[in-house]
Amino acid sequence: RIAEMAKLTQLIDNEVFRAYATYATIVLLKMMLMSSITAYFRIRRKAFANPEDVPPGKGENAKKYLRTDTDVERVRRNHLNDLENIVPFFGIGLLYALSGPELSTALLHFRIFAGARILHTIAYLTPLPQPGRGLSWAVGYVVTISMAYKVLKTGLYL
Amino acid sequence: RIAEMAKLTQLIDNEVFRAYATYATIVLLKMMLMSSITAYFRIRRKAFANPEDVPPGKGENAKKYLRTDTDVERVRRNHLNDLENIVPFFGIGLLYALSGPELSTALLHFRIFAGARILHTIAYLTPLPQPGRGLSWAVGYVVTISMAYKVLKTGLYL
Amino acid sequence: RIAEMAKLTQLIDNEVFRAYATYATIVLLKMMLMSSITAYFRIRRKAFANPEDVPPGKGENAKKYLRTDTDVERVRRNHLNDLENIVPFFGIGLLYALSGPELSTALLHFRIFAGARILHTIAYLTPLPQPGRGLSWAVGYVVTISMAYKVLKTGLYL
């Protein structure tokens, strides 16, 4: 069992894989943060999606808390956009990290993606005028396509 | 090729990785189940999102089947909540399983997460009064953050 | 470091893993394409979700661009359906690729899934009459469950 462990931890000892693990964890935590921000705005704006979520003792007024709120919907769109972009980064990035890239090139990809997605969230929630959000989205998109190109170039097997 | 295979299957022979593979597969299958439940409620409640999904021969009445239904929407919110929480568990959990945790600690994380998400679905679809659903969501959230902490503590490479 | 690299690239040299990496990258890129199609329809149909996305200089008319459009919503449902199905394929498929399947069996799973999801998108966006989209969805669903069965049969550790 110790020997097996040693083999597994070789993966986490590899610098490219450690860099991947670090930045993948950071962007996944950033995505999870959106759940908390949604809950915060739902409570603050008193805008709930489920009847059982409305605080008790509201009597006849309970129904009016079942509504959409522009700020809540904005956070939810940001969250969905994270899913749409961070899932491909996680998946393609994992395969990229295993395809033997140069450490410096890999770090460049991971750092730019993580920075772009953090800027994207700031641009979405502030909100900043366009093309702030559009550009930060596009940068993350292009970085992911660049990693996909490397994966397919290295390991294509159809 | 046999030698390569042997090396790969060492991963699935590792107990922590096997436990991860088991629980990750269980929660992903649970998430997939939501698609079937949505389809079931769409047909039973006759509430469709696409014109081509409305059963033929309805004539003038076809349009009234293009509607939202509270039960269908509840299942869809549950499904989206699964995506928002099971994706980070899958990603961070994979990196955690490769970071060399104790088997007992890893099992504790995986079992609590899977249990919490199953309870979350029961609480969402019954629906149970709050804070049932809220607590089961929070437990899964905290377990994922705990694994992320271990990954970053073991392998941080910025 | 070179020795570590060599070990890592053994993974990408394994034929089953290379096949997985290829098809996983293809379906993730296909999913990413939905973002671009959504953006295309939002601009063409002038249907935006955020006030800051409306092209400037529209004056009083700006508000009427904040609307939903049936084509945009169709692409967004397709995108969400991709997330709901491609995420389980990516996760379960990765564990399946590491569980030591026969190369020919693995290729069969990956090729059918990728083909089914491409047909699903064509059926969704054309749109083709049912059961075209339903069947292509079901084929991908069953392929994923088949891989999950292999993972649990090989590595079950509760």
Side-chain angles (χ1 to χ4, degrees), chain C residues 132-154:
Chain C
R133 196 183 89 235
L135 277 181
S136 58
W137 169 82
V139 168
Y141 199 77
V142 168
V143 166
T144 308
I145 289 171
S146 166
M147 296 193 301
Y149 174 76
K150 173 71 164 72
V151 171
L152 295 179
K153 207 183 70 170
T154 312

Side-chain angles (χ1 to χ4, degrees), chain C residues 40-67:
Chain C
Y40 170 80
F41 275 107
R42 281 203 181 284
I43 291 165
R44 188 167 159 156
R45 298 282 193 261
K46 297 186 178 64
F48 300 98
N50 300 291
E52 69 269 25
D53 300 349
V54 177
K58 300 291 176 189
E60 282 302 305
N61 286 326
K63 271 204 171 169
K64 78 174 187 192
Y65 294 102
L66 287 177
R67 59 184 188 85

Side-chain angles (χ1 to χ4, degrees), chain B residues 1 4-5 7-13 15-26 28-29 31-37 39 42 49-54 76 79-80 83 86-87 90 94 103 107 111, chain C residues 10-11 13-17 74 77 80 83-85 87-88 90-92 94-95 97-104 123-124 127-130 133 137 140-142 144-145 148-149 151-152 154-158:
Chain B
R1 180 144 162 271
E4 277 164 17
M5 277 304 190
K7 253 162 221 143
L8 270 187
T9 49
Q10 281 168 2
L11 207 55
I12 207 85
D13 285 347
E15 285 176 309
V16 169
F17 196 81
R18 278 178 58 198
Y20 167 73
T22 300
Y23 287 98
T25 301
I26 287 171
L28 287 171
L29 287 174
M31 187 170 90
M32 288 175 70
L33 182 63
M34 307 312 293
S35 297
S36 298
I37 299 177
R42 281 203 182 284
N50 299 292
E52 69 270 24
D53 300 350
V54 177
R76 292 182 67 223
H79 200 166
L80 187 58
L83 270 170
I86 290 174
V87 164
F90 179 83
L94 174 68
L103 176 60
L107 277 170
R111 286 173 181 161
Chain C
Q10 282 169 1
L11 207 55
D13 285 348
N14 174 279
E15 285 175 311
V16 169
F17 196 81
R74 180 176 283 276
R77 285 195 300 274
L80 187 58
L83 270 171
E84 292 169 357
N85 289 279
V87 163
F90 179 83
I92 292 170
L94 174 68
L95 302 169
L98 297 174
S99 74
E102 282 296 313
L103 176 61
S104 57
Y124 217 145
L128 298 179
Q130 288 284 23
R133 196 183 89 235
W137 169 82
Y141 199 77
V142 168
T144 308
I145 289 171
Y149 174 76
V151 171
L152 295 179
T154 312
L156 190 71
Y157 194 102
L158 284 166

Side-chain angles (χ1 to χ4, degrees), chain A residues 8 18 22 32 50 52-53, chain B residues 11 74 77 130 141 156:
Chain A
L8 270 187
R18 277 177 61 197
T22 300
M32 287 176 71
N50 300 292
E52 69 269 24
D53 301 349
Chain B
L11 207 55
R74 180 176 284 275
R77 285 195 299 275
Q130 288 284 24
Y141 198 77
L156 190 72

Side-chain angles (χ1 to χ4, degrees), chain C residues 116-135:
Chain C
R117 292 309 301 181
I118 290 167
L119 287 178
H120 180 269
T121 298
I122 293 169
Y124 217 145
L125 297 188
T126 304
L128 298 179
Q130 288 284 23
R133 196 183 89 235
L135 277 181

Side-chain angles (χ1 to χ4, degrees), chain A residues 5 8-9 12 17 21 25 90, chain B residues 14 16-17 20 88-110 143-152 154:
Chain A
M5 277 305 191
L8 270 187
T9 49
I12 207 81
F17 197 81
T25 301
F90 179 83
Chain B
N14 174 280
V16 169
F17 196 81
Y20 167 73
F89 171 80
F90 179 83
I92 292 171
L94 174 68
L95 303 168
Y96 170 77
L98 298 173
S99 74
E102 283 295 314
L103 176 60
S104 58
T105 315
L107 277 170
L108 198 68
H109 281 81
F110 302 155
V143 166
T144 308
I145 289 172
S146 165
M147 296 192 302
Y149 173 76
K150 173 72 165 72
V151 170
L152 294 179
T154 311

Side-chain angles (χ1 to χ4, degrees), chain B residues 113-128:
Chain B
F113 183 87
R117 293 309 300 183
I118 290 167
L119 287 178
H120 180 269
T121 298
I122 293 169
Y124 218 145
L125 297 188
T126 305
L128 299 179

